[in-house]
DNA sequence: TAGATTGTTAATCGATTAACAATC
DNA sequence: TAGATTGTTAATCGATTAACAATC
């Protein structure tokens, strides 16, 4: 059982949240143990893949038995960094900002919304999630006083890069980016893109594939 | 120059919307031609990768010159199926439903929102995008009368699978799924998932990587 | 024509699958 | 113990990179 992982590939990382979700569901259904084979059929992966994936982090299973759901879930929770709490702010309090602010799951996993910002005077002062929207002018002061881990970016495409520069200059290291553009950020900043336009276009492509006679 | 493509891998398909986006931007900046090398540095890919990708669809380039931006963009637009129009409905008119309904880009690319549905009586009758929210009871009749291409699913996790079954039973072949669960659908239905929770957890993982001393 | 850059083949790299010894 | 299932190595498959002849 090796403790320390060689560099884990992005392919594996992207599957971790799925493992976490499925294990959480199993736990809620009082399932105590699961084999790589069972989990594979549940998740649409192969048993080999699962054993390879999990073993890149450590030996969480037991020969002849399988994996203990509770233990494995805890391990993946920790790997995902969900044993810590995070502070976050939302920039852009339009519908997308509101949608995200109301995701109960974020808070439940320790990601706390503590601020929201917008340039639109009509939105400043309104409530999003459980915070009052402040004007962007107050961003700098706020970030300097609060040690923010994550910025959830929900601004229009046209201003996305500029806002990203502002927040990274202020020292924020993580961006969950809903603005439909690729951000240029320093090396020590991580960005996770949620590009809805790209998803729609992937769908229209696939739709052609299943619909057309070809 | 071969016209008909062997099966294109999902890896390539997922890059197509990005090509489309970058080419659209280039066109707006009046750039007429681009080489694989230039496009690669713009998009963060390699020139080889780009030439391989584009060649799986056909020979769009010209030796010694590069690619004509307008022509290549048109080609990819067509490959993505964006030369056709699509009708779509939104199910679930919460904040996420509203956010999507207001994406101007969808309409601009020919994806027309023609209906929205919700179970909440307080939401029925309100306006989302440019349509009035109907009760879910009216879904069946509506879909039977309108030939819907795409369902944008913005309902809570708990009812996602059930609603997915309803719409696929009604013959809808494409689902853009914002509900944070994996849907089980027939083989001739395509689903594109936008799983915001998964994205957040990927971000917390990456955040640990850049922040920790290790 | 000479220079540039594609299309395409071959080489490399990485991810998935298969197989099985280790072991609970 | 015998059966089951992991951890891990080896084989296969697929995607990326490199290289270069074709050609604009």
């Amino acid at each position: 059982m090796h403790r320390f992982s060689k560099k884990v590939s992005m392919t594996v990382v992207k599957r971790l949240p799925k493992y976490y979700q499925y294990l959480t569901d199993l736990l809620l259904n009082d399932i105590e143990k699961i084999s790589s084979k069972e989990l594979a059929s549940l998740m649409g992966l192969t048993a080999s893949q699962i054993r390879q994936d999990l073993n890149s982090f450590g030996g969480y299973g037991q020969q002849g038995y399988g994996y203990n759901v509770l233990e494995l879930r805890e391990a993946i929770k920790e790997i995902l960094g969900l044993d810590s709490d995070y502070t976050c702010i939302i920039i852009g309090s339009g519908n997308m900002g509101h949608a995200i602010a109301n995701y109960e799951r974020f808070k439940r996993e320790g990601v706390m919304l503590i601020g929201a910002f917008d340039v639109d005077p009509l939105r400043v002062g309104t409530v999003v999630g459980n915070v009052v929207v402040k004007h962007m002018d107050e961003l700098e002061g706020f970030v300097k006083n609060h040690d923010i881990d994550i910025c959830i970016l929900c601004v229009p495409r046209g201003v996305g890069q500029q806002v990203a520069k502002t927040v990274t200059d202020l020292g924020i290291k993580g961006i969950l980016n809903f603005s439909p553009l690729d951000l240029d950020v320093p090396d020590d900043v991580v960005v996770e893109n949620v590009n809805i336009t790209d998803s729609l276009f992937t769908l229209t492509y696939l739709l052609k594939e299943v619909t057309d006679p070809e």
Side-chain angles (χ1 to χ4, degrees), chain A:
Chain A
M1 196 214 289
H2 61 95
R3 275 274 134 244
F4 293 106
S5 35
K6 41 236 151 206
K7 181 91 181 67
V8 174
S9 78
M10 205 55 192
T11 325
V12 176
V13 172
K14 288 278 180 187
R15 277 196 290 265
L16 291 175
K18 286 260 171 277
Y19 286 121
Y20 187 55
Q21 183 64 61
Y22 277 89
L23 290 165
T24 302
D25 290 347
L26 287 167
L27 201 63
L28 289 173
N29 288 310
D30 295 313
I31 311 290
E32 257 178 45
K33 71 132 206 158
I34 193 154
S35 68
S36 57
K37 196 176 160 197
E38 293 165 314
L39 188 57
S41 103
L42 216 52
M43 296 181 63
L45 302 172
T46 66
S48 262
Q49 212 170 13
I50 287 180
R51 294 204 298 278
Q52 292 275 21
D53 282 1
L54 299 181
N55 251 90
S56 59
F57 295 101
Y60 298 113
Q62 194 166 72
Q63 280 101 329
Y65 172 82
Y67 298 85
N68 177 291
V69 173
L70 180 60
E71 275 174 26
L72 184 56
R73 179 180 179 274
E74 283 307 303
I76 291 179
K77 180 174 181 156
E78 196 183 320
I79 292 165
L80 285 171
L82 297 174
D83 52 337
S84 311
D85 283 346
Y86 298 87
T87 53
C88 83
I89 58 172
I90 286 181
I91 302 189
S93 65
N95 289 309
M96 184 55 76
H98 274 270
I100 308 308
N102 290 314
Y103 258 61
E104 286 305 316
R105 187 73 193 284
F106 279 37
K107 199 191 305 173
R108 207 164 359 114
E109 297 290 353
V111 179
M112 251 79 68
L113 179 67
I114 63 168
F117 299 85
D118 205 297
V119 284
D120 184 346
L122 291 175
R123 285 175 178 166
V124 172
T126 62
V127 173
V128 57
N130 53 349
V131 301
V132 176
V133 177
K134 293 177 162 49
H135 191 273
M136 276 296 277
D137 292 345
E138 300 183 53
L139 180 68
E140 184 169 343
F142 188 90
V143 174
K144 286 186 170 160
N145 281 314
H146 286 88
D147 192 26
I148 307 300
D149 299 304
I150 296 172
C151 168
I152 300 179
L153 201 62
C154 303
V155 301
R157 197 175 131 81
V159 296
Q161 180 56 53
Q162 176 214 312
V163 177
K165 171 146 177 39
T166 305
V167 299
T168 54
D169 283 351
L170 288 168
I172 292 179
K173 298 290 181 224
I175 300 178
L176 186 58
N177 176 35
F178 290 85
S179 303
L181 80 160
D182 296 333
L183 301 174
D184 188 16
V185 297
D187 281 349
D188 64 341
V189 174
V190 287
V191 177
E192 180 65 23
N193 293 303
V194 179
N195 195 319
I196 294 169
T197 310
D198 286 0
S199 296
L200 176 69
F201 296 165
T202 303
L203 184 68
T204 57
Y205 175 90
L206 296 172
L207 211 39
K208 240 185 20 170
E209 299 278 287
V210 294
T211 308
D212 271 18
E214 28 205 313

